[in-house]
Amino acid sequence: MKANEIITVLNHFKDSSYQRILINGTWGIGKTKYVTDFMKEYSEVCYVSLFGKRDINSIIQEIYFRILQTANKGRLKKHFRTFRELLSKFNFSYYGVSISIPFIENLHNELTKELGLQGTYIIIFDDLERKHDDLGIKEIFGLLDSLSKINSIKTVLISAKDQLKGEDLEIFKDYQEKAIDRIYTIEDYAVQAPKEILGEQVWNVIGNLTEEFEFKNLRTFEKTNLFISEVIGVLGENIFTEKFPRNDLYRMCFATVFFIMEHHSEMKLLNISDEKSEFLSAYYKEDKNGVIDYLCDYILRNSLDNSMSKNVFNHINTWYRTGTYNIESINNIIASINSYERKPSNFYSSKEEIIGIIEYSREYIRNLNGTERLEDIISNLSIAFKWCEILSLDFGIDNEEILQLVRDNISNIINPENTIYQNKIDFWDYNFESEEARNLAESINKAVKTEYCNQLINRITECYSERSFKNFHYIRKLIESIPEVENQNRECLITSIKENEYFFPIPAGRITEAQWHWCHQIVSLIANIGKHWNLTGYFNGFSTYIYSLEITKKDQILQHRLNQLFGKKR
């Protein structure tokens, strides 16, 4: 039966001859939800969760307080005097700390008589499988039996039998037939439940995607709904456009939650009988973007409205798995998608439309004006390269020519003062489906690193010539970039440093604090070049050159300062 039928079962139960029933169903299928819905319509109910309960006494005490709370909901002020007189009739000290079953029976009978309560009073025990290990299954069944013997009280036990283990499971099997009058098994959640949880707008987008999957846990939909709300709450509603539609965000959030919650991050949908399964499994599991490709291909079934949305998927997936996200990076990618000047393509586009996309990309690259974002260029080319590969077409522009075409873009976008572009661009955000696109991105990054270092050298040269030593932070940035400098660019950098006398302002005579810091940074720069580029003797050559200067030999203060810089003892 479906979870929503619980309401019907409980309505029949209160008027039936059954005294004790069991409702069994797996976690997250909606049992508690429909019990709660029943309680909204029928007030003579006491609900007790067994979660963490370790003894019968604590359960009986909770029943007592629930009876007082629920049986008189909305009528407490009116019958306050009656309550006070009623409770004064009972000798609490007689029962000690515990509140016994007879006490509960007397209280219930008095409430029924004094307040004119009518009908059956139902006590519902939920979360059997979450009880404390110290509380035995036999004790719970015994409590149900004792309570059901009280006139007009009936009991309901709700459980997820599949979560019971070991001795608890064996006792449950042995005693359920003796202690329970009727057992109801919930095998599926209500048809309308996912739509109610997600809302019509989201359900209309992902509903079709769920048809091929088996769901037993409504919490997957609940967590999807919460995650969508979290992401939109952080990014804002204004991120959505025709090019980056909200439906794609819904799909990516759902696929991420489903993969983690239902499939426990295992690629269960790969067909192991397929002769290519071993290759596919290795690709999806080992490739940097393999998980995202798997989610798109097997869970979303290539349903993204814009294939460029896939570039945001890595961030969405990481966000849910770790709770961390980089708003600046996500916004950069979405801005790149939204700046794409042609109607985006997707899996369902015709061949003619795809060829149009390729032709547009070709013209776009050939007509760059130097102001386009590198992310936009890479996204554009990545899509074109993918479709060229699928359709066995030649893009018509090789990577070397593309590097020449984007030269001005690199020069214009890289700035030592820029906090976004340092010595590279994090193209890992982009889901490259073409090896050619990945290689091009790496080549562009090498060009970015080279340009960044060149611009730093230019800044350092200008500051050194103008004796503007307060800008020694340029040297620090160059130091940080040393490990990233490509082999073919190292010789140019070394030559530039040597031609400018190591950019070392001899600290003779009266000097400023800024000049002294600059000297320290230069010493660190030369040391790092020698270390990271394995240039044996490079630092010693620098030190020897400085000490060999005529001014150094004659100036004792200068010698002292150099000894401090180079770590030499007097």
Side-chain angles (χ1 to χ4, degrees):
M1 62 184 289
K2 295 185 181 296
N4 58 304
E5 295 178 74
I6 287 175
I7 296 176
T8 302
V9 166
L10 293 177
N11 275 316
H12 288 167
F13 172 59
K14 64 184 175 60
D15 299 321
S16 72
S17 57
Y18 293 128
Q19 293 296 116
R20 302 155 299 182
I21 66 170
L22 168 68
I23 298 175
N24 180 62
T26 189
W27 279 352
I29 207 165
K31 303 186 300 295
T32 302
K33 190 265 185 196
Y34 288 104
V35 166
T36 303
D37 287 351
F38 167 75
M39 292 170 60
K40 292 175 183 177
E41 301 298 325
Y42 189 72
S43 60
E44 310 305 317
V45 181
C46 169
Y47 176 89
V48 177
S49 172
L50 299 176
F51 197 155
K53 295 292 192 301
R54 59 192 310 159
D55 56 60
I56 290 295
N57 184 54
S58 63
I59 299 172
I60 294 174
Q61 288 184 21
E62 183 165 345
I63 292 172
Y64 161 71
F65 288 111
R66 295 290 184 189
I67 287 177
L68 293 183
Q69 180 186 47
T70 62
N72 299 279
K73 190 178 296 181
R75 293 180 286 178
L76 184 59
K77 290 183 178 179
K78 179 179 178 182
H79 295 281
F80 180 77
R81 180 177 294 179
T82 304
F83 261 1
R84 186 173 58 185
E85 293 174 354
L86 173 64
L87 295 178
S88 68
K89 297 178 182 179
F90 296 102
N91 185 355
F92 285 89
S93 62
Y94 176 79
Y95 298 102
V97 176
S98 297
I99 298 174
S100 67
I101 295 292
F103 182 88
I104 294 291
E105 181 176 10
N106 290 338
L107 176 62
H108 178 263
N109 290 338
E110 287 293 334
L111 285 171
T112 300
K113 181 175 66 175
E114 295 290 339
L115 302 180
L117 301 179
Q118 297 179 356
T120 302
Y121 193 79
I122 300 175
I123 302 178
I124 299 174
F125 297 94
D126 199 357
D127 301 314
L128 172 66
E129 68 284 351
R130 291 189 173 99
K131 69 174 185 59
H132 194 279
D133 291 340
D134 291 347
L135 180 60
I137 295 287
K138 281 192 285 188
E139 292 179 89
I140 294 173
F141 280 139
L143 175 62
L144 265 65
D145 182 65
S146 298
L147 289 169
S148 63
K149 290 177 181 177
I150 299 175
N151 184 38
S152 72
I153 286 184
K154 294 187 175 187
T155 56
V156 179
L157 182 61
I158 300 175
S159 71
K161 177 182 173 182
D162 59 334
Q163 297 298 322
L164 293 173
K165 308 295 180 186
E167 185 179 358
D168 276 348
L169 179 59
E170 294 305 315
I171 294 174
F172 182 86
K173 290 177 179 178
D174 290 343
Y175 280 82
Q176 65 175 342
E177 296 298 333
K178 304 171 188 176
I180 300 297
D181 299 327
R182 181 75 162 90
I183 299 174
Y184 298 91
T185 301
I186 310 301
E187 297 176 322
D188 201 359
Y189 53 72
V191 174
Q192 72 273 20
K195 185 175 180 179
E196 291 176 353
I197 292 169
L198 292 166
E200 187 170 356
Q201 185 180 38
V202 177
W203 181 246
N204 287 342
V205 175
I206 70 172
N208 291 335
L209 297 172
T210 68
E211 292 177 356
E212 295 185 19
F213 306 125
E214 288 188 7
F215 288 87
K216 294 294 183 183
N217 197 336
L218 287 174
R219 292 190 182 93
T220 298
F221 298 114
E222 292 171 351
K223 290 181 182 295
T224 297
N225 187 51
L226 290 171
F227 186 44
I228 289 173
S229 297
E230 178 186 354
V231 172
I232 295 178
V234 171
L235 299 180
E237 292 280 353
N238 59 350
I239 61 169
F240 300 117
T241 64
E242 182 183 1
K243 296 174 183 177
F244 184 67
R246 65 171 59 243
N247 289 356
D248 279 357
L249 182 66
Y250 295 160
R251 294 181 180 105
M252 291 186 286
C253 287
F254 162 72
T256 297
V257 175
F258 172 85
F259 181 58
I260 293 172
M261 291 292 298
E262 295 285 339
H263 285 182
H264 307 293
S265 300
E266 297 177 13
M267 297 182 182
K268 296 183 177 181
L269 300 178
L270 292 178
N271 185 0
I272 59 174
S273 63
D274 192 319
E275 60 181 9
K276 296 181 179 179
S277 63
E278 187 173 343
F279 167 78
L280 290 173
S281 180
Y283 167 75
Y284 285 122
K285 292 177 181 177
E286 296 173 12
D287 187 78
K288 194 170 189 178
N289 295 305
V291 170
I292 303 305
D293 288 339
Y294 171 83
L295 296 181
C296 284
D297 295 345
Y298 286 88
I299 295 178
L300 295 184
R301 301 193 290 279
N302 297 297
S303 61
L304 291 174
D305 290 337
N306 181 359
S307 59
M308 294 177 73
S309 297
K310 196 172 180 180
N311 293 329
V312 183
F313 215 156
N314 260 322
H315 285 280
I316 297 297
N317 186 262
T318 301
W319 191 334
Y320 190 74
R321 284 188 299 101
T322 68
T324 59
Y325 52 84
N326 187 319
I327 294 179
E328 186 177 47
S329 295
I330 296 173
N331 285 336
N332 270 341
I333 296 173
I334 295 175
S336 176
I337 294 170
N338 286 330
S339 66
Y340 189 72
E341 296 180 2
R342 189 179 176 89
K343 183 180 178 181
S345 68
N346 66 19
F347 183 76
Y348 305 106
S349 300
S350 68
K351 182 178 179 180
E352 290 73 21
E353 289 174 317
I354 297 302
I355 290 175
I357 292 293
I358 295 171
E359 290 174 349
Y360 166 79
S361 295
R362 191 182 296 123
E363 291 304 308
Y364 171 78
I365 294 302
R366 282 180 173 153
N367 292 283
L368 294 174
N369 59 31
T371 63
E372 298 85 358
R373 290 156 34 99
L374 290 176
E375 291 92 343
D376 296 350
I377 295 172
I378 288 296
S379 291
N380 199 305
L381 289 172
S382 181
I383 293 170
F385 285 176
K386 179 192 73 171
W387 288 117
C388 282
E389 189 175 299
I390 292 171
L391 298 178
S392 300
L393 297 175
D394 181 11
F395 184 63
I397 310 175
D398 62 28
N399 284 1
E400 287 301 319
E401 185 178 353
I402 291 173
L403 282 173
Q404 290 299 314
L405 293 171
V406 302
R407 184 175 53 190
D408 289 343
N409 297 80
I410 292 174
S411 178
N412 292 336
I413 205 167
I414 301 303
N415 187 324
E417 309 296 345
N418 197 316
T419 58
I420 298 177
Y421 304 105
Q422 291 295 327
N423 58 359
K424 63 179 179 179
I425 297 175
D426 285 328
F427 283 133
W428 72 268
D429 288 329
Y430 292 82
N431 196 81
F432 297 116
E433 297 181 81
S434 161
E435 191 64 29
E436 187 176 359
R438 192 189 305 276
N439 292 338
L440 175 62
E442 290 175 356
S443 297
I444 288 178
N445 244 343
K446 289 179 180 178
V448 167
K449 295 173 185 177
T450 299
E451 178 63 21
Y452 181 73
C453 284
N454 288 341
Q455 291 197 20
L456 280 174
I457 286 292
N458 291 338
R459 294 287 200 284
I460 293 169
T461 301
E462 291 171 4
C463 292
Y464 179 68
S465 300
E466 297 170 1
R467 298 188 66 81
S468 180
F469 300 128
K470 63 180 180 180
N471 293 318
F472 55 82
H473 61 277
Y474 291 128
I475 306 174
R476 188 179 303 133
K477 288 186 177 184
L478 184 58
I479 293 170
E480 293 170 355
S481 301
I482 289 302
E484 302 286 344
V485 177
E486 301 293 330
N487 290 338
Q488 63 269 26
N489 299 317
R490 292 177 179 178
E491 188 61 39
C492 291
L493 182 58
I494 290 174
T495 300
S496 180
I497 291 173
K498 188 172 182 180
E499 288 177 349
N500 286 279
E501 299 176 319
Y502 297 95
F503 299 113
F504 190 79
I506 304 299
R510 185 175 182 82
I511 64 173
T512 64
E513 184 177 6
Q515 181 182 350
W516 184 241
H517 284 310
W518 180 288
C519 291
H520 270 283
Q521 293 299 322
I522 290 297
V523 170
S524 180
L525 172 65
I526 303 304
N528 273 274
I529 289 175
K531 174 184 175 183
H532 289 288
W533 297 356
N534 295 318
L535 300 178
T536 304
Y538 183 64
F539 183 80
N540 287 337
F542 164 59
S543 173
T544 300
Y545 167 75
I546 299 300
Y547 275 100
S548 67
L549 296 174
E550 199 64 31
I551 188 175
T552 303
K553 297 175 182 177
K554 297 178 179 179
D555 191 332
Q556 289 181 309
I557 295 295
L558 174 57
Q559 291 175 18
H560 172 70
R561 288 170 180 164
L562 293 178
N563 289 339
Q564 293 290 316
L565 283 170
F566 291 100
K568 293 185 177 182
K569 296 181 179 180
R570 294 180 62 185

